[in-house]
PDB file of all heavy atoms in Angstrom:
ATOM      1  N   LEU A  53      13.218  37.579 -91.108  1.00 88.00           N
ATOM      2  CA  LEU A  53      11.854  37.053 -91.256  1.00 88.00           C
ATOM      3  C   LEU A  53      11.310  37.344 -92.647  1.00 88.00           C
ATOM      4  O   LEU A  53      10.599  36.517 -93.240  1.00 88.00           O
ATOM      5  CB  LEU A  53      10.952  37.675 -90.196  1.00 88.00           C
ATOM      6  CG  LEU A  53      11.200  37.207 -88.746  1.00 88.00           C
ATOM      7  CD1 LEU A  53      10.375  38.034 -87.780  1.00 88.00           C
ATOM      8  CD2 LEU A  53      10.850  35.738 -88.605  1.00 88.00           C
ATOM      9  N   ARG A 189       3.734  27.352 -89.011  1.00 89.00           N
ATOM     10  CA  ARG A 189       3.909  27.891 -87.658  1.00 89.00           C
ATOM     11  C   ARG A 189       4.950  29.008 -87.640  1.00 89.00           C
ATOM     12  O   ARG A 189       4.763  30.044 -86.996  1.00 89.00           O
ATOM     13  CB  ARG A 189       4.305  26.768 -86.702  1.00 89.00           C
ATOM     14  CG  ARG A 189       3.162  25.851 -86.313  1.00 89.00           C
ATOM     15  CD  ARG A 189       3.527  25.035 -85.083  1.00 89.00           C
ATOM     16  NE  ARG A 189       4.612  24.102 -85.352  1.00 89.00           N
ATOM     17  CZ  ARG A 189       4.455  22.863 -85.804  1.00 89.00           C
ATOM     18  NH1 ARG A 189       3.228  22.392 -86.037  1.00 89.00           N
ATOM     19  NH2 ARG A 189       5.492  22.075 -86.018  1.00 89.00           N
ATOM     20  N   ARG A 190       6.074  28.776 -88.348  1.00 88.00           N
ATOM     21  CA  ARG A 190       7.094  29.822 -88.403  1.00 88.00           C
ATOM     22  C   ARG A 190       6.555  31.078 -89.076  1.00 88.00           C
ATOM     23  O   ARG A 190       6.848  32.216 -88.672  1.00 88.00           O
ATOM     24  CB  ARG A 190       8.303  29.298 -89.158  1.00 88.00           C
ATOM     25  CG  ARG A 190       9.095  28.238 -88.407  1.00 88.00           C
ATOM     26  CD  ARG A 190      10.302  27.766 -89.171  1.00 88.00           C
ATOM     27  NE  ARG A 190      11.245  28.853 -89.389  1.00 88.00           N
ATOM     28  CZ  ARG A 190      12.340  28.751 -90.132  1.00 88.00           C
ATOM     29  NH1 ARG A 190      12.610  27.603 -90.758  1.00 88.00           N
ATOM     30  NH2 ARG A 190      13.156  29.776 -90.266  1.00 88.00           N
ATOM     31  N   LEU A 191       5.752  30.857 -90.152  1.00 89.00           N
ATOM     32  CA  LEU A 191       5.169  32.002 -90.846  1.00 89.00           C
ATOM     33  C   LEU A 191       4.226  32.776 -89.927  1.00 89.00           C
ATOM     34  O   LEU A 191       4.250  34.017 -89.890  1.00 89.00           O
ATOM     35  CB  LEU A 191       4.424  31.506 -92.089  1.00 89.00           C
ATOM     36  CG  LEU A 191       3.727  32.588 -92.922  1.00 89.00           C
ATOM     37  CD1 LEU A 191       4.730  33.582 -93.468  1.00 89.00           C
ATOM     38  CD2 LEU A 191       2.941  31.950 -94.074  1.00 89.00           C
ATOM     39  N   MET A 192       3.386  32.031 -89.165  1.00 89.00           N
ATOM     40  CA  MET A 192       2.462  32.714 -88.257  1.00 89.00           C
ATOM     41  C   MET A 192       3.213  33.439 -87.146  1.00 89.00           C
ATOM     42  O   MET A 192       2.858  34.567 -86.769  1.00 89.00           O
ATOM     43  CB  MET A 192       1.490  31.687 -87.650  1.00 89.00           C
ATOM     44  CG  MET A 192       0.556  31.042 -88.659  1.00 89.00           C
ATOM     45  SD  MET A 192      -0.417  32.231 -89.581  1.00 89.00           S
ATOM     46  CE  MET A 192      -1.488  32.821 -88.288  1.00 89.00           C
ATOM     47  N   ALA A 193       4.280  32.798 -86.618  1.00 87.00           N
ATOM     48  CA  ALA A 193       5.081  33.469 -85.592  1.00 87.00           C
ATOM     49  C   ALA A 193       5.743  34.721 -86.159  1.00 87.00           C
ATOM     50  O   ALA A 193       5.783  35.781 -85.506  1.00 87.00           O
ATOM     51  CB  ALA A 193       6.128  32.505 -85.037  1.00 87.00           C
ATOM     52  N   GLY A 194       6.288  34.614 -87.388  1.00 85.00           N
ATOM     53  CA  GLY A 194       6.893  35.785 -88.016  1.00 85.00           C
ATOM     54  C   GLY A 194       5.878  36.887 -88.259  1.00 85.00           C
ATOM     55  O   GLY A 194       6.166  38.073 -88.062  1.00 85.00           O
ATOM     56  N   LYS A 195       4.663  36.469 -88.682  1.00 86.00           N
ATOM     57  CA  LYS A 195       3.613  37.475 -88.876  1.00 86.00           C
ATOM     58  C   LYS A 195       3.260  38.155 -87.560  1.00 86.00           C
ATOM     59  O   LYS A 195       3.056  39.384 -87.512  1.00 86.00           O
ATOM     60  CB  LYS A 195       2.369  36.814 -89.478  1.00 86.00           C
ATOM     61  CG  LYS A 195       2.502  36.489 -90.948  1.00 86.00           C
ATOM     62  CD  LYS A 195       1.204  35.901 -91.483  1.00 86.00           C
ATOM     63  CE  LYS A 195       1.304  35.603 -92.983  1.00 86.00           C
ATOM     64  NZ  LYS A 195       0.057  35.023 -93.489  1.00 86.00           N
ATOM     65  N   ALA A 196       3.163  37.326 -86.479  1.00 85.00           N
ATOM     66  CA  ALA A 196       2.835  37.917 -85.172  1.00 85.00           C
ATOM     67  C   ALA A 196       3.919  38.898 -84.734  1.00 85.00           C
ATOM     68  O   ALA A 196       3.628  40.024 -84.272  1.00 85.00           O
ATOM     69  CB  ALA A 196       2.663  36.821 -84.123  1.00 85.00           C
ATOM     70  N   GLN A 197       5.201  38.480 -84.887  1.00 86.00           N
ATOM     71  CA  GLN A 197       6.295  39.389 -84.526  1.00 86.00           C
ATOM     72  C   GLN A 197       6.292  40.628 -85.402  1.00 86.00           C
ATOM     73  O   GLN A 197       6.526  41.752 -84.944  1.00 86.00           O
ATOM     74  CB  GLN A 197       7.633  38.656 -84.639  1.00 86.00           C
ATOM     75  CG  GLN A 197       7.833  37.577 -83.590  1.00 86.00           C
ATOM     76  CD  GLN A 197       9.162  36.876 -83.738  1.00 86.00           C
ATOM     77  OE1 GLN A 197       9.941  37.208 -84.651  1.00 86.00           O
ATOM     78  NE2 GLN A 197       9.429  35.908 -82.867  1.00 86.00           N
ATOM     79  N   LEU A 198       6.025  40.419 -86.713  1.00 85.00           N
ATOM     80  CA  LEU A 198       5.982  41.560 -87.624  1.00 85.00           C
ATOM     81  C   LEU A 198       4.852  42.522 -87.245  1.00 85.00           C
ATOM     82  O   LEU A 198       5.025  43.748 -87.255  1.00 85.00           O
ATOM     83  CB  LEU A 198       5.799  41.041 -89.057  1.00 85.00           C
ATOM     84  CG  LEU A 198       5.907  42.089 -90.172  1.00 85.00           C
ATOM     85  CD1 LEU A 198       7.289  42.716 -90.177  1.00 85.00           C
ATOM     86  CD2 LEU A 198       5.621  41.438 -91.539  1.00 85.00           C
ATOM     87  N   LEU A 199       3.675  41.947 -86.904  1.00 86.00           N
ATOM     88  CA  LEU A 199       2.566  42.803 -86.485  1.00 86.00           C
ATOM     89  C   LEU A 199       2.899  43.552 -85.207  1.00 86.00           C
ATOM     90  O   LEU A 199       2.576  44.744 -85.051  1.00 86.00           O
ATOM     91  CB  LEU A 199       1.308  41.951 -86.282  1.00 86.00           C
ATOM     92  CG  LEU A 199       0.655  41.410 -87.549  1.00 86.00           C
ATOM     93  CD1 LEU A 199      -0.469  40.456 -87.210  1.00 86.00           C
ATOM     94  CD2 LEU A 199       0.116  42.539 -88.422  1.00 86.00           C
ATOM     95  N   GLU A 200       3.576  42.859 -84.283  1.00 86.00           N
ATOM     96  CA  GLU A 200       3.969  43.521 -83.039  1.00 86.00           C
ATOM     97  C   GLU A 200       4.944  44.662 -83.308  1.00 86.00           C
ATOM     98  O   GLU A 200       4.817  45.762 -82.755  1.00 86.00           O
ATOM     99  CB  GLU A 200       4.593  42.501 -82.096  1.00 86.00           C
ATOM    100  CG  GLU A 200       4.891  43.050 -80.713  1.00 86.00           C
ATOM    101  CD  GLU A 200       5.429  41.982 -79.797  1.00 86.00           C
ATOM    102  OE1 GLU A 200       5.522  40.822 -80.245  1.00 86.00           O
ATOM    103  OE2 GLU A 200       5.765  42.320 -78.645  1.00 86.00           O
ATOM    104  N   LEU A 201       5.928  44.384 -84.198  1.00 85.00           N
ATOM    105  CA  LEU A 201       6.879  45.438 -84.537  1.00 85.00           C
ATOM    106  C   LEU A 201       6.204  46.603 -85.244  1.00 85.00           C
ATOM    107  O   LEU A 201       6.525  47.778 -85.018  1.00 85.00           O
ATOM    108  CB  LEU A 201       7.996  44.861 -85.414  1.00 85.00           C
ATOM    109  CG  LEU A 201       8.945  43.864 -84.736  1.00 85.00           C
ATOM    110  CD1 LEU A 201       9.877  43.245 -85.759  1.00 85.00           C
ATOM    111  CD2 LEU A 201       9.740  44.560 -83.642  1.00 85.00           C
ATOM    112  N   VAL A 202       5.243  46.257 -86.111  1.00 85.00           N
ATOM    113  CA  VAL A 202       4.506  47.321 -86.815  1.00 85.00           C
ATOM    114  C   VAL A 202       3.719  48.159 -85.820  1.00 85.00           C
ATOM    115  O   VAL A 202       3.669  49.397 -85.912  1.00 85.00           O
ATOM    116  CB  VAL A 202       3.599  46.700 -87.898  1.00 85.00           C
ATOM    117  CG1 VAL A 202       2.618  47.740 -88.428  1.00 85.00           C
ATOM    118  CG2 VAL A 202       4.436  46.159 -89.042  1.00 85.00           C
ATOM    119  N   GLU A 203       3.065  47.460 -84.852  1.00 85.00           N
ATOM    120  CA  GLU A 203       2.315  48.211 -83.838  1.00 85.00           C
ATOM    121  C   GLU A 203       3.242  49.103 -83.023  1.00 85.00           C
ATOM    122  O   GLU A 203       2.916  50.264 -82.714  1.00 85.00           O
ATOM    123  CB  GLU A 203       1.576  47.234 -82.932  1.00 85.00           C
ATOM    124  CG  GLU A 203       0.401  46.551 -83.617  1.00 85.00           C
ATOM    125  CD  GLU A 203      -0.267  45.547 -82.707  1.00 85.00           C
ATOM    126  OE1 GLU A 203       0.251  45.372 -81.578  1.00 85.00           O
ATOM    127  OE2 GLU A 203      -1.270  44.948 -83.117  1.00 85.00           O
TER     128      GLU A 203
END
Side-chain angles (χ1 to χ4, degrees):
L53 289 172
R189 284 196 294 271
R190 289 181 63 186
L191 179 62
M192 295 304 291
K195 285 183 178 179
Q197 291 180 0
L198 187 62
L199 288 173
E200 187 177 358
L201 292 173
V202 168
E203 289 177 357

